[in-house]
Amino acid sequence: MNARQIEIFHAVMRMRSVTGAAAFLGISQPAVSKSLKQAEDGIGFPLFRTVKGRLLPTAEAERLLPDAERILRDVAAFTRLTGEISTGGAGLVRVTASSSLSTALMPRAVARFQRSHPLVRVSSHLLPARDAAETVLAGQADLGLCLSPAAIPGLAVRSLPGPRMIVIAPEGHALLRRRVVQPTDIAPYPLVSFGQETYFGQVLDETFAAAGLKREVALQVTMSISAACHVRAGAGVAIVDGFTRQLGLAGLGWRPFVPTILLPVTLMTQETRAVPQLAAAFAQALAAELEDMAA
């Protein structure tokens, strides 16, 4: 049965007559009867029988009714959603973001977006950069955000202005008496940092090597937010992305790290799929929020 035949079948089941179904659907009785006959011919068994002038459903029709109701509910929901999306109304934007982007940027971007799209739901998930990219590639997220390059076939990437790297230390630490902090300033202290196999770790290794130093990691982490928690607990100092200071963690201070390391925000979408209208609007909110944060 096609969708229209299912709709007519459901109406006849509910109204228990061709006349009632025709009136409910606003079509003629012959049109209802013709549709039922075509449906029965297509599926190979009768749906109704007439007993003493009354139209009665067969046992097979009774078995089909729950699924017919489910299909009609799904079609109605789909039709409603497409209408809402086309007018900028309710819908869903699925975003996956790594580390500080999920905890510092996303809440601000969501608040900005929902001021102009109050009926739209946003699904936000924190994942490592590689997993975020794979989630977008699989079609399980509309947008992906990370602070490392994402050269993966099938992904379209766009760079947005991001933060610089900063040094964080417990309040009162000697490093915080400096206007800026260099690799030579950090060398005497335990460093909470990223492994050399990560993008951040490789960038920092190159920066320390340019200063004639080897980056010695006392405690290895995978996320800036994790580094900040360890630093606050007294494990050492850390070089993290600038979004970390937006979290406002008590007991921490920060200073700019030099030489300056800028971290563009990588926005990932599927290369072969058009970006949904609402997701594109959310990307604009992200870009606007990044501009405000930079200012």
Side-chain angles (χ1 to χ4, degrees):
M1 284 193 283
N2 59 37
R4 183 56 170 168
Q5 289 170 343
I6 293 174
E7 182 182 25
I8 290 174
F9 162 70
H10 179 262
V12 175
M13 288 291 290
R14 284 301 175 211
M15 305 306 294
R16 297 292 170 162
S17 74
V18 171
T19 302
F24 177 76
L25 295 172
I27 59 177
S28 67
Q29 294 182 37
V32 172
S33 298
K34 181 180 178 180
S35 178
L36 288 178
K37 179 66 169 57
Q38 290 174 339
E40 290 175 335
D41 290 343
I43 60 180
F45 55 81
L47 295 170
F48 298 93
R49 54 194 175 88
T50 303
V51 178
K52 296 182 179 180
R54 296 180 59 198
L55 190 68
L56 299 177
T58 62
E60 291 79 8
E62 295 286 5
R63 289 183 61 188
L64 291 174
L65 181 60
D67 278 346
E69 292 177 333
R70 176 185 56 79
I71 290 169
L72 291 175
R73 284 196 303 270
D74 289 346
V75 170
F78 181 82
T79 302
R80 182 173 61 252
L81 180 59
T82 56
E84 291 169 344
I85 292 175
S86 68
T87 58
L92 173 66
V93 178
R94 303 167 302 165
V95 186
T96 180
S98 62
S99 192
S100 304
L101 292 168
S102 182
T103 53
L105 174 62
M106 279 296 295
R108 297 173 60 140
V110 169
R112 176 187 287 265
F113 177 72
Q114 290 187 329
R115 285 197 290 271
S116 57
H117 297 77
L119 300 179
V120 178
R121 293 175 294 129
V122 178
S123 170
S124 175
H125 296 280
L126 189 160
L127 290 173
R130 181 75 187 192
D131 291 346
E134 295 290 351
T135 300
V136 174
L137 198 58
Q140 297 170 350
D142 303 306
L143 305 172
L145 298 168
C146 64
L147 287 173
S148 56
I152 299 177
L155 280 184
V157 298
R158 171 186 167 195
S159 289
L160 302 173
R164 64 183 293 173
M165 297 201 85
I166 61 173
V167 174
I168 57 173
E171 287 182 347
H173 195 280
L175 284 181
L176 300 180
R177 293 197 290 269
R178 298 180 176 274
R179 187 174 60 85
V180 296
V181 178
Q182 304 178 57
T184 52
D185 302 323
I186 292 173
Y189 305 104
L191 181 62
V192 179
S193 198
F194 308 93
Q196 61 182 8
E197 76 283 355
T198 66
Y199 172 69
F200 281 9
Q202 292 164 11
V203 169
L204 291 174
D205 278 344
E206 293 170 2
T207 303
F208 273 65
L213 299 171
K214 184 179 188 303
R215 185 175 62 105
E216 300 289 350
V217 178
L219 175 62
Q220 185 172 311
V221 294
T222 58
M223 294 185 177
S224 290
I225 181 65
S226 178
C229 292
H230 284 295
V231 170
R232 186 169 63 168
V237 300
I239 308 167
V240 296
D241 65 78
F243 285 130
T244 306
R245 68 186 180 90
Q246 302 288 339
L247 299 176
L249 294 177
L252 290 180
W254 69 276
R255 289 294 181 269
F257 178 69
V258 292
T260 300
I261 301 175
L262 295 177
L263 299 170
V265 174
T266 298
L267 175 65
M268 301 173 288
T269 57
Q270 273 193 351
E271 193 173 49
T272 57
R273 176 187 173 216
V275 179
Q277 178 183 347
L278 290 174
F282 188 83
Q284 292 178 349
L286 279 169
E289 194 58 42
L290 283 168
E291 290 181 3
D292 285 358
M293 293 172 77

